[in-house]
Amino acid sequence: MSIRNLDALFAPRSVTLIGASARQGSLGHVALNRLRSGGFQGRLSLVNPKYRDIDGMPVAASVDDLQDVPDLGIIVTPAQTVPDIIADLGAAGSRAAIVISAGFDPALRQRMLDAAQPHLLRIIGPNCLGFQVPHIGLDASFAHLAPAKGGLALLSQSGAIVTAMLDWAAARGIGFSVTASLGDMADIDVGDMLDYLAADRQTKAILLYLEQVTDARKFMSAARSASRAKPVIAVKAGRSAAAARAAASHTGALAGSDEIYDAALRRAGIIRVTDLEEMFDAAEALSRVRPVASDQLMILTNGGGAGVLGADAAAAAGVDLAVISAETRARLDAILPATWSGANPVDIIGDADAARYSSALETLLKAPEADLVLVMNCPTGLASSLQAAEAVVAVKRVTDRPKPIFATWLGEATSAAGAAALAAANIPVFRTPAQAVRGISYLTGYRQSQRQLMRCPPATSEEEPADREAALCIINDVIGEGRTILTEPEAKDVLAAYHIPAVETRIVASPDEAEAAARDMLNGGGDARLAMKILSRDISHKSDVGGVHLDLASPEDVRIGALAMLSRITAEAPDARIDGLVLQPMIRRPGAHELIIGLNDDRVFGPVVLFGAGGVSVEVVADKALSLPPLDTMLAGDMIDRTRIGKLLKGYRDRPAANRTAIEHVLVRISQMAAELPSVVELDINPLLADDQGVIALDARIVVKPGQAVSRLAIRPYPAEWTTDAICAKGPVLIRPIRPADEALYPDFIDRLSKQDIKFRFFGAFSHASHEQIARFTQIDYARAMAFIAIDPQDGSLLGVSRLAADPNYETAEFAILVRSDRQKEGIGRALMRQLLDYARAEGIQTLQGDVMTENTPMQILCSAFGFQHDQTAGSRGQMRFVARLKAA
């Protein structure tokens, strides 16, 4: 349901407390005091059949007895009473409830949800601390503190974390736009809240304490939307939890739940921190400073050692230290003692007074090479730490459009007054250089996450098409036989269907057949060697039972080795069914790296792709990176770069760089398999040999799950099936969904737009589009938006765009269409509109609407031609709203 009726939580006009009590120490009494002390300006009513009034406030016996319908109900009554109360609130017309009560078993929880569903009443909880909106004075909680007004939103699946954050923030004067304890998340979950807060003007950044995700696709879509708008910082509990199930593949064993959450948060653009201390640092930075466009850091200090610690922390956090220009050094030489450091960190010496701090800081803030400044102070007997802080504050106040300033005032007793003065001026203050740099890194990390945040690669490769039907045929035969693990030859045939190179494989039934096959395979002579493996549907890890024999040089060696292998396996695994033997040529690539590439199906997030160092010690080395599909080559490259072996693949000494393109190709193909072969739940290619010549899979293992026929990708892939040809006045035009790579088409497209067309589309001037703006046009989330582009098949140029953006409830969408000025009146706009309407119907969108300027007659004619109606009750001055009510396809 997403954000439906959440406005009744964030901005209720009337609130009722059900279970209000006069008994000191009771939950009903504490909740009443919190409500009354918060300063809520709306109507407040109470319900409890045991009272007629509490402290002079009238109390109704039931919801039915209330004179006014409350937007929001707060429930603190025993759990078994809650379903009936929810039904009463819904019947009365209430739109939301906060269930603080605990003690719900699954059956009682479902009764509560069933009571809410007919009325579309939304529920936070049960078993939660409550909900606070400081900007309207709403404190619907039993927290010990009311937060100050501010720009941070705190979402937590633990009430204890909310109280800890409130305590910490109160001591530092940090405020919140909302604090929400989500409890058991029976209805409203993290995805719903992120969807609402993405567009909330009061919220500048979001802090998230996460224990579990209940709806992966909704969470990923909402998180990516929120992260595009503002920083989202998350603590994910349960980092050390081991995988709960045995895995049949190395990938399954390596892809632990915490690593998968890490991959999901990374892909969603959420910055993950490890503990509450880091979250406090993030809150200190994000509550006072907006994200910066770049991260060139200047450090100003009166202590050389503190400056070195800051520089070390910056290197560890990936924050770049600015290089002082000759002009800036000359200005500093003129105002600082001759013994100053002469470089960044700028050490202005231990006797630095307020005046020296002031002049040095002014110089650094004006330096074009610096994007932000970290000011440090070490207490000495030569100068006042408080006066230094006051100088920093004074510089900030008088500087026009100042760059972000961070501060570290070392020490406790002597630095407290200075730190307080800085905090009062809204300057982030930290106790140590490492904490300060960590706070800075959250701002710079947010900018970096935007680079790949909204990439939605295609589910299918744009290279040679895969033979999906051949792969499905193999998998269906295996499932039909009652098996869950493909044999190695079967697995390699699936890889071949997806154009992943694999070593030649021959299957033989006996030692005699093995000898004959070996004679043919070794016909070339020389130093050729063979590898022999057991073929059994019951043996997954062949080397564990002696099912692998390497470096066989002659047919006789093969026959003798086969006899020994069969005897050994009969003793080691007497119940295993033996299907034969597999012969393969030994691959001699002495400079090749052993890699592992795999796929695992996570219970929460669905398919997850793994890349790392392979070989027999893969689980011991555990050098890996995970990512959610779909992948493109950029995202595949990012996975490679996050591993230690990724550095070795670049080449070193006399070892040439591996063919990175070939490795990325395999990762993209495995991602394609995740989308197209939903019954594949585990996959290993180990080892995948990679060198400058390319890649080749030596072994492969695939595990399938019967009955799993629907793709479970948490991120919706590129919808290539919506590509079509349209016949227009000057010939065929290609209509297809937009891709991130289409950014390259936009500059020419914009250059060919008239000023009038720009005005009609953007309702104002639009002279130049930056990379960031165009990226927002081309990098969309297909789970809630769509853009179709018209391409000229002759020259590949962009002719027009139609797009829709759905609300989080996925019921109503806004549309827009723009055709290049020199190609109008050819039917391109009609083709784009037709495709957009067909897509909206197929997606189940009920209403498509858009605002059209009153001067834009061609668009009004186009809308009317497709059945849009002019809604005379909507639209703003100079604009008309056109609305189409759609029936699902």
Side-chain angles (χ1 to χ4, degrees):
M1 293 180 69
S2 199
I3 66 169
R4 185 195 298 279
N5 286 337
L6 290 196
D7 58 318
L9 275 172
F10 286 86
R13 295 164 298 178
S14 55
V15 174
T16 188
L17 175 62
I18 304 165
S21 175
R23 181 166 57 86
Q24 294 287 334
S26 67
L27 181 56
H29 189 259
V30 172
L32 175 57
N33 285 340
R34 299 307 314 164
L35 273 170
R36 297 177 71 178
S37 63
F40 178 61
Q41 297 299 307
R43 298 185 302 277
L44 177 60
S45 58
L46 310 179
V47 174
N48 193 327
K50 298 178 181 179
Y51 299 93
R52 291 196 174 186
D53 72 87
I54 298 176
D55 295 336
M57 290 187 65
V59 182
S62 68
V63 171
D64 291 339
D65 294 330
L66 291 171
Q67 293 183 352
D68 296 316
V69 175
D71 288 334
L72 173 65
I74 304 162
I75 304 175
V76 294
T77 60
Q80 63 270 19
T81 68
V82 171
D84 290 340
I85 293 172
I86 290 290
D88 290 343
L89 283 170
S94 298
R95 295 184 296 134
I98 300 169
V99 181
I100 294 175
S101 314
F104 286 74
D105 61 24
L108 188 60
R109 167 183 160 138
Q110 190 58 49
R111 279 182 54 205
M112 177 187 70
L113 292 175
D114 290 343
Q117 198 278 332
H119 312 287
L120 300 179
L121 185 142
R122 306 305 305 278
I123 298 172
I124 277 191
N127 187 26
C128 68
L129 180 77
F131 193 77
Q132 298 169 311
V133 188
H135 291 277
I136 63 170
L138 177 64
D139 190 345
S141 76
F142 63 97
H144 66 306
L145 289 173
K149 299 176 184 179
L152 285 179
L154 172 62
L155 306 180
S156 176
Q157 293 177 341
S158 164
I161 299 301
V162 174
T163 58
M165 285 295 296
L166 289 176
D167 218 64
W168 173 87
R172 290 159 178 79
I174 291 176
F176 293 87
S177 60
V178 63
T179 73
S181 165
L182 302 179
D184 294 343
M185 299 193 304
D187 172 28
I188 295 172
D189 62 11
V190 176
D192 298 324
M193 296 296 288
L194 287 173
D195 255 332
Y196 189 93
L197 292 171
D200 181 42
R201 293 185 178 182
Q202 300 288 355
T203 299
K204 309 306 179 189
I206 302 170
L207 304 179
L208 176 61
Y209 174 81
L210 189 66
E211 292 177 352
Q212 62 177 328
V213 168
T214 53
D215 185 329
R217 177 164 280 191
K218 181 172 75 171
F219 171 80
M220 291 299 294
S221 190
R224 293 165 72 189
S225 175
S227 295
R228 287 289 281 180
K230 57 200 68 173
V232 182
I233 308 288
V235 169
K236 167 62 178 70
R239 294 179 66 88
S240 61
R245 63 179 180 86
S249 66
H250 294 300
T251 299
L254 286 167
S257 62
D258 185 66
E259 289 88 353
I260 293 171
Y261 266 96
D262 201 51
L265 295 176
R266 174 189 293 272
R267 191 69 184 276
I270 294 177
I271 301 169
R272 184 175 183 180
V273 296
T274 59
D275 53 34
L276 279 184
E277 182 181 30
E278 290 192 7
M279 181 169 271
F280 291 156
D281 292 340
E284 177 70 23
L286 295 171
S287 65
R288 305 186 193 277
V289 178
R290 291 184 177 274
V292 291
S294 54
D295 55 2
Q296 297 297 304
L297 172 66
M298 282 285 192
I299 298 177
L300 173 63
T301 178
N302 69 335
V308 172
L309 288 174
D312 288 344
V319 177
D320 295 329
L321 289 185
V323 177
I324 295 181
S325 66
E327 293 79 5
T328 301
R329 181 178 286 106
R331 294 189 183 98
L332 291 172
D333 283 338
I335 58 175
L336 296 179
T339 53
W340 79 280
S341 61
N344 185 16
V346 178
D347 180 4
I348 58 176
I349 313 304
D351 64 346
D353 57 9
R356 194 180 300 169
Y357 264 100
S358 179
S359 56
L361 180 58
E362 285 180 355
T363 302
L364 295 183
L365 290 175
K366 293 176 182 178
E369 63 269 29
D371 300 309
L372 60 164
V373 180
L374 170 59
V375 185
M376 299 185 188
N377 180 266
C378 306
T380 71
L382 301 174
S384 165
S385 293
L386 174 59
Q387 291 178 1
E390 291 171 340
V392 171
V393 171
V395 170
K396 180 191 176 188
R397 285 175 177 164
V398 301
T399 303
D400 292 333
R401 303 177 72 178
K403 297 170 183 174
I405 300 172
F406 292 76
T408 296
W409 251 233
L410 295 163
E412 291 291 339
T414 54
S415 67
L422 292 162
N426 215 30
I427 295 173
V429 189
F430 301 86
R431 290 186 302 162
T432 68
Q435 286 178 306
V437 171
R438 195 160 59 199
I440 292 168
S441 73
Y442 300 137
L443 299 179
T444 60
Y446 171 70
R447 176 182 60 82
Q448 293 165 0
S449 73
Q450 303 304 293
R451 294 174 181 170
Q452 60 169 304
L453 175 62
M454 292 300 290
R455 296 189 69 85
C456 271
T460 58
S461 173
E462 296 176 21
E463 304 168 15
E464 187 178 356
D467 191 347
R468 177 173 180 261
E469 295 305 317
L472 284 174
C473 184
I474 296 168
I475 291 169
N476 291 336
D477 286 347
V478 169
I479 293 174
E481 294 175 11
R483 291 189 283 136
T484 59
I485 300 178
L486 277 65
T487 64
E488 181 182 347
E490 290 169 337
K492 286 182 176 175
D493 286 344
V494 171
L495 297 187
Y498 281 81
H499 307 292
I500 297 174
V503 66
E504 176 194 358
T505 299
R506 292 201 191 185
I507 302 172
V508 295
S510 66
D512 289 338
E513 283 190 24
E515 181 180 20
R519 189 169 287 108
D520 179 53
M521 295 175 73
L522 293 170
N523 188 39
D527 60 353
R529 297 290 187 272
L530 296 179
M532 181 167 57
K533 304 174 186 178
I534 195 67
L535 179 60
S536 170
R537 69 196 72 185
D538 300 319
I539 299 174
S540 179
H541 297 290
K542 295 178 281 290
S543 58
D544 292 349
V545 293
V548 179
H549 201 329
L550 305 178
D551 283 314
L552 296 166
S554 69
E556 294 74 18
D557 290 344
V558 169
R559 185 175 186 281
I560 294 170
L563 289 168
M565 179 182 291
L566 291 171
S567 176
R568 187 164 53 247
I569 290 174
T570 299
E572 291 283 341
D575 297 329
R577 291 168 291 181
I578 306 302
D579 300 312
L581 300 162
V582 173
L583 287 178
Q584 298 170 343
M586 291 288 293
I587 303 299
R588 302 293 185 184
R589 294 169 84 160
H593 300 271
E594 289 191 332
L595 307 176
I596 180 172
I597 291 180
L599 187 67
N600 184 55
D601 191 74
D602 180 64
R603 178 180 59 84
V604 176
F605 291 100
V608 182
V609 179
L610 176 140
F611 169 84
V616 295
S617 59
V618 58
E619 290 173 34
V620 178
V621 175
D623 175 26
K624 62 184 183 295
L626 283 76
S627 187
L628 301 187
L631 300 177
D632 59 9
T633 54
M634 191 192 89
L635 292 169
D638 174 67
M639 290 183 70
I640 296 170
D641 291 337
R642 285 189 275 125
T643 60
R644 295 188 298 276
I645 199 168
K647 298 179 176 63
L648 299 178
L649 293 172
K650 296 177 181 178
Y652 54 93
R653 295 183 179 174
D654 60 344
R655 198 168 183 177
N659 187 331
R660 183 182 174 104
T661 300
I663 302 170
E664 292 170 350
H665 164 89
V666 176
L667 283 166
V668 171
R669 289 295 191 179
I670 294 297
S671 165
Q672 182 180 354
M673 292 170 69
E676 295 184 347
L677 307 176
S679 56
V680 173
V681 293
E682 290 183 38
L683 180 150
D684 268 354
I685 302 175
N686 181 39
L688 178 77
L689 294 188
D691 58 15
D692 57 327
Q693 300 301 308
V695 297
I696 188 167
L698 300 192
D699 200 357
R701 182 178 294 107
I702 294 177
V703 181
V704 294
K705 181 178 180 181
Q708 186 159 302
V710 179
S711 176
R712 297 181 60 238
L713 266 63
I715 300 173
R716 190 169 180 176
Y718 178 79
E721 66 274 15
W722 281 93
T723 299
T724 188
D725 289 315
I727 302 301
C728 298
K730 291 187 177 181
V733 170
L734 176 67
I735 307 289
R736 63 165 173 81
I738 202 165
R739 293 190 295 238
D742 293 326
E743 178 180 341
L745 302 177
Y746 261 82
D748 176 68
F749 177 68
I750 293 172
D751 285 344
R752 300 198 196 191
L753 293 174
S754 68
K755 291 182 179 179
Q756 184 183 57
D757 285 333
I758 290 174
K759 177 184 176 182
F760 285 166
R761 170 60 181 87
F762 299 105
F763 303 104
F766 188 85
S767 59
H768 173 72
S770 66
H771 162 70
E772 289 76 15
Q773 289 172 314
I774 296 177
R776 290 181 183 274
F777 295 152
T778 60
Q779 298 179 21
I780 63 174
D781 183 351
Y782 299 109
R784 59 178 58 194
M786 174 52 73
F788 289 106
I789 60 173
I791 299 292
D792 187 332
Q794 300 298 319
D795 60 13
S797 64
L798 178 59
L799 303 178
V801 185
S802 64
R803 64 178 65 241
L804 66 79
D807 67 355
N809 299 318
Y810 214 62
E811 294 176 351
T812 300
E814 295 185 5
F815 78 90
I817 293 181
L818 180 60
V819 176
R820 210 172 74 191
S821 301
D822 61 329
R823 297 295 297 269
Q824 293 178 4
K825 299 182 180 180
E826 296 179 18
I828 297 172
R830 287 177 174 269
L832 288 168
M833 177 67 88
R834 187 178 300 109
Q835 188 81 334
L836 201 67
L837 285 166
D838 289 346
Y839 179 84
R841 291 189 188 98
E843 290 290 293
I845 291 172
Q846 299 172 17
T847 303
L848 194 62
Q849 63 186 38
D851 292 338
V852 179
M853 295 188 72
T854 53
E855 310 162 51
N856 192 352
T857 304
M859 180 58 72
Q860 295 169 28
I861 294 172
L862 180 65
C863 289
S864 298
F866 280 93
F868 285 79
Q869 301 296 317
H870 176 208
D871 184 353
Q872 299 186 11
T873 65
S876 56
R877 185 176 180 181
Q879 298 175 19
M880 304 167 62
R881 176 160 297 175
F882 283 85
V883 179
R885 311 292 180 188
L886 306 179
K887 294 181 180 180

